[in-house]
Amino acid sequence: MNMMDKTMVTKTVKIAANNVNVHYADSHAIKDVSVGIEANAVTAFIGPSGCGKSTFLRCLNRMNDTIDVCRVTGEILLDEEDIYDRRVDPVQLRAKVGMVFQKPNPFPKSIYDNVAYGPRIHGLARNKAELDEIVENSLRRGAIWEEVKDRLDAPGTGLSGGQQQRLCIARAIATEPEVLLMDEPCSALDPIATAQVEELIDELRGNFTVVIVTHSMQQAARVSQKTAFFHLGNLVEYEATGQIFTNPQDPRTESYITGRIG
Ligand SMILES: Nc1ncnc2c1ncn2[C@@H]1O[C@H](COP(=O)(O)OP(=O)(O)OP(=O)(O)O)[C@@H](O)[C@H]1O
Ligand SMILES: [Mg+2]
């Protein structure tokens, strides 16, 4: 590696995964994956269906803890601290490492209460005025404030799919997470709502570290700076997004991006 390369790779690593393996009972879903997720960047996870993208994403905020048959080994560090340490409270961890799912899943509550829920349980506001401010700011950062500001008491489930997803993003950022995990956040959205969410993701990277699972290579190319290609539970290639799409080093990556597998 020459000096130039060295200066180019000194980015802050927000999450470091070291030799992570995941089993569902006897099935080996993630095979010895090590990766450093950069701070304040968008990282895309791509790969064929069943290759382990969601499984690995769920390791990053211990969502797999909720699946009985799932066993995670190896080490995952958030800011150099082991998130699987016994002293770590998974609920607190998930406030720091928020998640947005494939299907918009607002709570059966008002728009206001959807966003206020996290800040309330984590005691982030001292009074109603502060809570109002958190809700408004989160909805603004979720790029949905203008559409809902006159109906904050209406149910979140009454919004359109794209609005619901932006509400869920606002809900996820209301607890001031440091990392936002998104598992195919646009797959239930039309092209206009998708463009809005993609624009939002680009803005979010100023304040958050974002990891997005996507089936759309166009989307990965549009929104991410780094891309990780998974295949049969292996992390095959992890590089700058431009590099993955124009000059992949592994034949499996090349086959996938040119449409021969997947
Ligand atoms: N709850 C579970 N119990 C048992 N096996 C599971 C479970 N979730 C996932 N798996 C298995 O683990 C492997 C990886 O699945 P995963 O959902 O992580 O893939 P993926 O890359 O996200 O796929 P897709 O693109 O279809 O969402 C698959 O073989 C899948 O069947
Ligand atoms: Mg998945």
Side-chain angles (χ1 to χ4, degrees), residues 16-20 30-36 56 75 235 238:
N18 298 316
N19 306 106
V20 171
I30 291 292
K31 298 169 184 161
D32 207 35
V33 169
S34 298
V35 67
F56 188 66
E75 180 183 63
L235 174 58
Y238 173 57

Side-chain angles (χ1 to χ4, degrees), residues 49-50 52-55 58 102 183-184 213 215:
S49 185
K53 304 177 295 295
S54 298
T55 298
R58 287 196 301 265
Q102 181 167 4
D183 196 348
E184 300 189 51
V213 171
H215 267 121

Side-chain angles (χ1 to χ4, degrees), residues 143-180:
I144 190 175
W145 171 251
E146 290 302 325
E147 288 155 77
V148 300
K149 64 181 181 198
D150 299 322
R151 48 171 167 154
L152 294 176
D153 293 330
T157 48
L159 297 168
S160 76
Q163 288 173 329
Q164 287 187 24
Q165 194 61 309
R166 280 177 287 140
L167 175 64
C168 291
I169 294 170
R171 181 179 67 189
I173 59 188
T175 55
E176 293 288 333
E178 297 165 20
V179 180
L180 207 51

Side-chain angles (χ1 to χ4, degrees), residues 23-25 27-30 46-58 64 67 69-70 102 183-184 213-215 230 233:
H23 287 83
Y24 293 106
S27 132
H28 197 179
I30 291 292
I46 64 168
S49 185
C51 68
K53 304 177 295 295
S54 298
T55 298
F56 188 66
L57 191 75
R58 287 196 301 265
N64 288 323
I67 302 173
V69 294
C70 188
Q102 181 167 4
D183 196 348
E184 300 189 51
V213 171
T214 177
H215 267 121
F230 289 83

Side-chain angles (χ1 to χ4, degrees), residues 22 24 55 58-72 83-85 88-91 93-94:
V22 182
Y24 293 106
T55 298
R58 287 196 301 265
C59 291
L60 306 182
N61 71 345
R62 293 185 50 174
M63 253 351 222
N64 288 323
D65 288 16
T66 63
I67 302 173
D68 269 353
V69 294
C70 188
R71 190 161 50 85
V72 179
I83 67 168
Y84 284 86
D85 189 286
V88 172
D89 173 1
V91 175
L93 172 71
R94 289 177 203 134

Side-chain angles (χ1 to χ4, degrees), residues 61-255:
N61 71 345
R62 293 185 50 174
M63 253 351 222
N64 288 323
D65 288 16
T66 63
I67 302 173
D68 269 353
V69 294
C70 188
R71 190 161 50 85
V72 179
T73 62
E75 180 183 63
I76 297 179
L77 308 176
L78 173 69
D79 292 327
E80 300 180 350
E81 296 201 21
D82 181 3
I83 67 168
Y84 284 86
D85 189 286
R86 257 185 299 159
R87 284 165 300 187
V88 172
D89 173 1
V91 175
Q92 294 294 336
L93 172 71
R94 289 177 203 134
K96 260 201 225 173
V97 185
M99 194 154 191
V100 175
F101 299 87
Q102 181 167 4
K103 214 168 135 261
N105 59 348
F107 302 136
K109 292 170 181 289
S110 69
I111 292 168
Y112 184 97
D113 285 338
N114 261 276
V115 183
Y117 181 82
R120 274 192 187 120
I121 62 168
H122 292 286
L124 301 185
R126 276 171 303 187
N127 51 47
K128 176 79 167 76
E130 276 187 14
L131 191 59
D132 286 354
E133 197 181 318
I134 292 174
V135 169
E136 176 172 343
N137 281 339
S138 305
L139 289 166
R140 283 189 188 281
R141 284 154 96 188
I144 190 175
W145 171 251
E146 290 302 325
E147 288 155 77
V148 300
K149 64 181 181 198
D150 299 322
R151 48 171 167 154
L152 294 176
D153 293 330
T157 48
L159 297 168
S160 76
Q163 288 173 329
Q164 287 187 24
Q165 194 61 309
R166 280 177 287 140
L167 175 64
C168 291
I169 294 170
R171 181 179 67 189
I173 59 188
T175 55
E176 293 288 333
E178 297 165 20
V179 180
L180 207 51
L181 309 176
M182 306 176 118
D183 196 348
E184 300 189 51
C186 300
S187 66
L189 307 184
D190 69 21
I192 292 170
T194 295
Q196 284 168 328
V197 170
E198 285 184 4
E199 205 173 303
L200 176 58
I201 292 169
D202 195 50
E203 282 167 26
L204 292 177
R205 115 179 116 91
N207 296 299
F208 304 94
T209 299
V210 180
V211 185
I212 179 175
V213 171
T214 177
H215 267 121
S216 159
M217 286 183 263
Q218 289 83 357
Q219 178 165 71
R222 281 192 300 262
V223 303
S224 72
Q225 288 75 51
K226 294 288 288 261
T227 294
F229 171 68
F230 289 83
H231 185 245
L232 299 174
N234 299 295
L235 174 58
V236 172
E237 200 165 339
Y238 173 57
E239 258 306 336
T241 297
Q243 157 92 17
I244 291 275
F245 288 106
T246 58
N247 190 19
Q249 299 300 300
D250 191 285
R252 290 166 291 181
T253 317
E254 189 182 8
S255 296

